[in-house]
Amino acid sequence: MTELAPSSVFETVESEVRSYCRAWPVVFERASGSRLYDEQGRPYLDFFAGAGSLNYGHNNPVLKRALLDYLADDGITHGLDMSTTAKRGFLEAFRSAVLEPRALPYKVMFPGPTGTNAVEAALKLARKATGRETVVSFTNAFHGMSLGSLAVTGNSAKRAGAGVTLPHATRMPFDHYFDGQVPDFLWFERLLQDPGSGLDHPAAVIVETVQGEGGINVARAEWLRALADLCRRHDMLLIVDDIQMGCGRTGDFFSFEEAGITPDIVTLSKSISGYGLPMALCLFRPELDLWEPGEHNGTFRGNNPAFVTATAALDAYWRDDALRERTLGRADRVERALLDLCGDDGRSGVAVRGRGLVWGLEFADGERAEAVCRRAFETGLLLETSGPHGEVVKLLPPLTATDDELDEGLGILARSVRHTA
């Protein structure tokens, strides 16, 4: 492992806020497919995938060709929210490849190019549409780092970074939070029905179908259906944050498809551009399109190179079910490997959970999970931890990884777990 020199520019100039580079103390130089390479040429198999921003791998050749051709033709790179050929191409592809096959009527909004900006737009729109302020979120949720998104985030350390009170949000227990000992939504329903509960009538409920940063907590399809029903009965908008779990991560393009629900508002970012370029969407039912022109804007809400790669990704991977079927088939393969690993580990309390190609291996404490990730890095695999105590080793391989690469990564993980036992 090549460690950064203490006097490097990263140490002397860059802020202490830097994070991932502390876990992976090398200088990366290039990337292709499922691998990154440091400046010494050493390869690292990437089961981090840009925190879910690289579902189709690094420098995907189909997407790269589309981007290079666009730039070579002097295509517009910055256009605010002006109409461009690149935007038109994306909207037409998104409508025909994603919305129409699923009978989804959504309008498409381009907020700023980050996930947290999509969440901010969703929260603002829900409050504008209902005239109410309170938004309900769930234990261990993560929705972004700006103030509105932090208000509906559960992690206390991230919330503390705001430095101010984060109002107008109420937390409810996520699926499995009480280990099945309490009926689903008992507390939530009781508060909604009791005029003395102190809960102001919420504008909306925001939920992740799989909590990534929260520890790979998977909501059951029946729980999501019950939540959608609760929102309908109590006149609350349902927002699904699909920023990390959308774009095929759980198999279907949207992670909520398995439950058969249609949220009122959906947020997308991370892999929507397909190439790791900043891009975000806020989708909503047409009757919610109550925005005044420019009411939610931003200088970089029209990332035209991202439109180009996003269109190429939709055309390459979402015109048929091949990627979906491949992802679901590999989910069984990963689950079997992790369950076998837990049996070999011989340590009580190790748990496996996930869907599609997002999986978590939960240990009794964060120290061991961190040690597993550190050992994996030393032997050529990038992994990160998640969960409230960093106790979950999180797997996010590219959806385009080969079977051999998937087996290679699972093998490194298994050896890392045994090494730290």
Side-chain angles (χ1 to χ4, degrees):
M1 179 177 68
T2 304
E3 296 190 3
L4 300 178
S7 59
S8 74
V9 69
F10 305 105
E11 294 282 343
T12 58
V13 178
E14 190 179 4
S15 166
E16 293 298 321
V17 78
R18 63 191 186 279
S19 174
Y20 291 113
C21 57
R22 298 179 188 274
W24 305 323
V26 297
V27 178
F28 293 106
E29 186 172 52
R30 61 188 180 90
S32 177
S34 300
R35 298 184 193 275
L36 289 122
Y37 299 83
D38 67 20
E39 60 184 350
Q40 309 304 319
R42 183 184 177 185
Y44 295 83
L45 188 59
D46 187 2
F47 274 27
F48 172 67
S53 296
L54 296 163
N55 283 3
Y56 315 112
H58 294 271
N59 287 304
N60 183 293
V62 175
L63 280 56
K64 180 166 66 174
R65 184 71 267 159
L67 178 60
L68 291 175
D69 288 346
Y70 181 76
L71 295 176
D73 289 339
D74 289 334
I76 293 171
T77 56
H78 182 267
L80 296 162
D81 69 347
M82 292 185 288
S83 297
T84 64
T85 55
K87 184 197 283 190
R88 181 175 61 199
F90 169 74
L91 286 170
E92 290 174 344
F94 192 71
R95 179 177 59 190
S96 62
V98 176
L99 297 181
E100 290 180 343
R102 294 161 180 80
L104 294 172
Y106 295 138
K107 297 291 289 292
V108 178
M109 174 186 179
F110 300 104
T114 64
T116 194
N117 202 298
V119 170
E120 296 286 354
L123 298 177
K124 287 169 66 173
L125 182 59
R127 289 169 172 141
K128 180 179 177 67
T130 63
R132 303 179 221 129
E133 296 180 348
T134 299
V135 174
V136 170
S137 60
F138 292 93
T139 51
N140 290 310
F142 178 78
H143 296 290
M145 299 296 282
S146 50
L147 293 184
S149 302
L150 275 177
V152 291
T153 287
N155 186 287
S156 59
K158 290 181 172 61
R159 288 169 57 83
V164 297
T165 302
L166 299 169
H168 310 307
T170 299
R171 229 75 52 202
M172 293 292 166
F174 191 72
D175 195 13
H176 304 297
Y177 193 73
F178 292 115
D179 299 322
Q181 299 177 35
V182 177
D184 295 338
F185 306 112
L186 174 65
W187 176 241
F188 196 175
E189 188 99 52
R190 184 72 57 85
L191 291 179
L192 288 169
Q193 294 173 345
D194 181 5
S197 70
L199 175 65
D200 294 328
H201 191 177
V205 175
I206 185 167
V207 67
E208 303 155 276
T209 66
V210 181
Q211 294 181 328
E213 298 304 310
I216 316 301
N217 304 313
V218 181
R220 293 166 295 142
E222 55 267 35
W223 187 88
L224 292 168
R225 286 192 289 269
L227 176 61
D229 178 67
L230 181 71
C231 288
R232 280 192 300 270
R233 288 188 288 106
H234 291 279
D235 187 29
M236 302 178 295
L237 298 177
L238 177 60
I239 305 169
V240 168
D241 181 341
D242 232 4
I243 288 167
Q244 189 167 81
M245 298 303 155
C247 304
R249 178 54 59 180
T250 63
D252 295 308
F253 185 86
F254 295 108
S255 69
F256 56 80
E257 292 182 56
E258 179 190 60
I261 63 174
T262 302
D264 299 294
I265 303 174
V266 179
T267 60
L268 287 175
S269 187
K270 290 192 182 284
S271 276
I272 186 60
S273 80
Y275 204 74
L277 296 174
M279 181 176 171
L281 305 178
C282 186
L283 314 176
F284 39 82
R285 292 188 286 106
E287 57 268 33
L288 296 176
D289 195 6
L290 304 173
W291 296 110
E292 296 292 333
E295 192 172 9
H296 185 97
N297 59 19
T299 304
F300 297 100
R301 64 194 182 278
N303 190 347
N304 284 263
F307 294 154
V308 171
T309 54
T311 302
L314 293 175
D315 289 339
Y317 296 106
W318 295 105
R319 295 294 182 182
D320 57 34
D321 289 334
L323 182 63
R324 174 186 183 274
E325 297 303 321
R326 185 182 183 193
T327 299
L328 293 176
R330 285 158 158 218
D332 295 334
R333 183 187 196 127
V334 174
E335 184 176 24
R336 286 195 303 270
L338 294 180
L339 289 173
D340 288 346
L341 174 57
C342 286
D344 292 343
D345 180 46
R347 183 183 175 109
S348 62
V350 180
V352 173
R353 52 182 178 263
R355 275 181 62 196
L357 281 179
V358 51
W359 288 86
L361 195 60
E362 182 185 23
F363 294 94
D365 58 72
E367 289 185 5
R368 186 165 182 219
E370 183 179 356
V372 168
C373 289
R374 185 166 56 249
R375 179 60 180 175
F377 171 71
E378 292 170 353
T379 50
L381 176 67
L382 302 185
L383 296 168
E384 72 163 337
T385 60
S386 67
H389 305 288
E391 75 277 19
V392 178
V393 173
K394 178 181 178 183
L395 284 75
L396 282 174
L399 306 184
T400 53
T402 66
D403 289 338
D404 287 345
E405 288 169 338
L406 200 60
D407 290 342
E408 178 187 351
L410 291 169
I412 295 174
L413 173 62
R415 291 190 293 275
S416 300
V417 169
R418 296 186 184 110
H419 179 83
T420 58

